[in-house]
Amino acid sequence: MIRALNYHDPKPFQRPGEGFDIAIWFAKSRIIPVALQARCKCLAMHLSRIFCSPARLGIVMSCKSVILNGHYIDLRPLSISDAERTFHWRQSERARHLNAGAASVEQQAKWIAARPAGEYNWIIHLKDGTPIGMLSLVDIDTYNSRAETGRFLIGEEEKAKGLPVAVEAMGLLYEFAFNTLGLSRLFGMISANNGRMVKWQKYLGMVEEGRLRSHYRTEVGAHDAVVLGILREEYQATFIPRARALMAMGGSA
């Protein structure tokens, strides 16, 4: 069954929900007539609810939200009440490599309210409830089995100091995308000026796939975007063991 992120488990992330996977395979099988595939996909989602209970998943699901529970942090849905906090995070020095954000708290609130239903936008918070950052999974394409990760920002660096919150946040997102949603590929774009983040993502298994010239516009000019991607097998072979090692060290990676 799918479980909460657990780097103390010798084989984390290796056994996704059996009922869900069987039904998804059945739905995608070429022996199923095209006219019946949509019904099979509905069956897959129904079976996932039967075989994957929230208590065992470490994931609480509702019609509007998904909460992911980790060891050091949890990811909870972004809400309009987070507008002021996330606006100030976006004004920080750490956010200078992100796309230009809202110009006011009011605009930030409107932006949050306008997020499409198909996006997953999370606030990263410590176990005591302290919000420390944000992270998103967007542009989900189930037909091509891919999605984009983005809006990753640790806005309260001092409060997160000494804890592996960044790697655990990515681990929770990856586990959800690959094991729960059943995607095969994730990708993202990082400003070429943000060499530290590019290097960190490569170490954790992402592969540089290209570069988009003058893709970002900021106050200091145009910047290239580095396109990175990770496949399910790369997640299993590279991310999991390296993330487990970083979690065991308990550092701020």
Side-chain angles (χ1 to χ4, degrees):
M1 305 296 287
I2 308 170
R3 295 155 294 165
L5 186 66
N6 181 3
Y7 288 89
H8 302 290
D9 188 324
K11 294 183 179 180
F13 318 120
Q14 299 299 313
R15 298 190 301 274
E18 290 90 343
F20 181 78
D21 283 359
I22 290 170
I24 284 293
W25 173 86
F26 190 70
K28 292 181 178 179
S29 173
R30 293 186 178 181
I31 66 173
I32 303 300
V34 173
L36 295 180
Q37 288 184 10
R39 292 186 180 182
C40 289
K41 290 179 181 178
C42 291
L43 173 62
M45 295 305 297
H46 178 66
L47 288 177
S48 72
R49 296 187 184 100
I50 296 174
F51 287 96
C52 306
S53 67
R56 296 188 66 183
L57 289 177
I59 298 173
V60 179
M61 303 187 71
S62 75
C63 61
K64 295 183 179 180
S65 65
V66 171
I67 297 173
L68 306 181
N69 299 322
H71 183 73
Y72 294 98
I73 61 165
D74 297 322
L75 304 185
R76 66 157 174 83
L78 177 71
S79 69
I80 294 177
S81 63
D82 296 306
E84 183 173 2
R85 177 182 298 109
T86 54
F87 172 76
H88 288 303
W89 288 347
R90 292 300 304 268
Q91 308 309 305
S92 69
E93 177 65 17
R94 288 180 63 85
R96 71 186 185 279
H97 297 300
L98 300 179
N99 284 326
S104 67
V105 174
E106 291 72 22
Q107 287 186 15
Q108 181 72 359
K110 290 179 180 179
W111 179 86
I112 293 173
R115 293 306 84 213
E119 287 188 359
Y120 293 93
N121 294 285
W122 289 290
I123 288 291
I124 306 167
H125 65 80
L126 300 177
K127 285 298 183 177
D128 64 5
T130 303
I132 58 169
M134 56 196 295
L135 180 63
S136 297
L137 184 67
V138 302
D139 293 334
I140 299 170
D141 182 342
T142 55
Y143 180 82
N144 290 298
S145 196
R146 67 182 183 226
E148 180 178 0
T149 65
R151 303 168 189 158
F152 187 22
L153 176 64
I154 301 298
E156 303 288 348
E157 192 172 12
E158 284 301 313
K159 294 178 181 178
K161 193 172 183 179
L163 297 174
V165 296
V167 68
E168 186 170 37
M170 289 305 303
L172 286 169
L173 181 147
Y174 283 172
E175 184 187 24
F176 177 72
F178 287 122
N179 290 350
T180 303
L181 299 183
L183 301 178
S184 300
R185 161 182 157 78
L186 296 176
F187 66 96
M189 292 181 286
I190 301 174
S191 170
N193 286 2
N194 194 357
R196 181 181 176 184
M197 177 60 77
V198 172
K199 182 177 180 180
W200 184 77
Q201 291 285 13
K202 285 183 176 180
Y203 173 77
L204 287 173
M206 276 198 152
V207 175
E208 183 171 341
E209 299 177 336
R211 182 177 289 248
L212 302 177
R213 296 177 299 165
S214 296
H215 190 71
Y216 292 122
R217 295 279 174 178
T218 67
E219 294 179 356
V220 295
H223 305 289
D224 292 355
V226 178
V227 181
L228 301 169
I230 185 168
L231 304 179
R232 181 198 297 268
E233 53 267 30
E234 294 166 340
Y235 157 71
Q236 294 171 338
T238 303
F239 178 86
I240 289 174
R242 291 185 178 180
R244 186 189 299 137
L246 290 173
M247 292 287 289
M249 290 167 56
S252 57

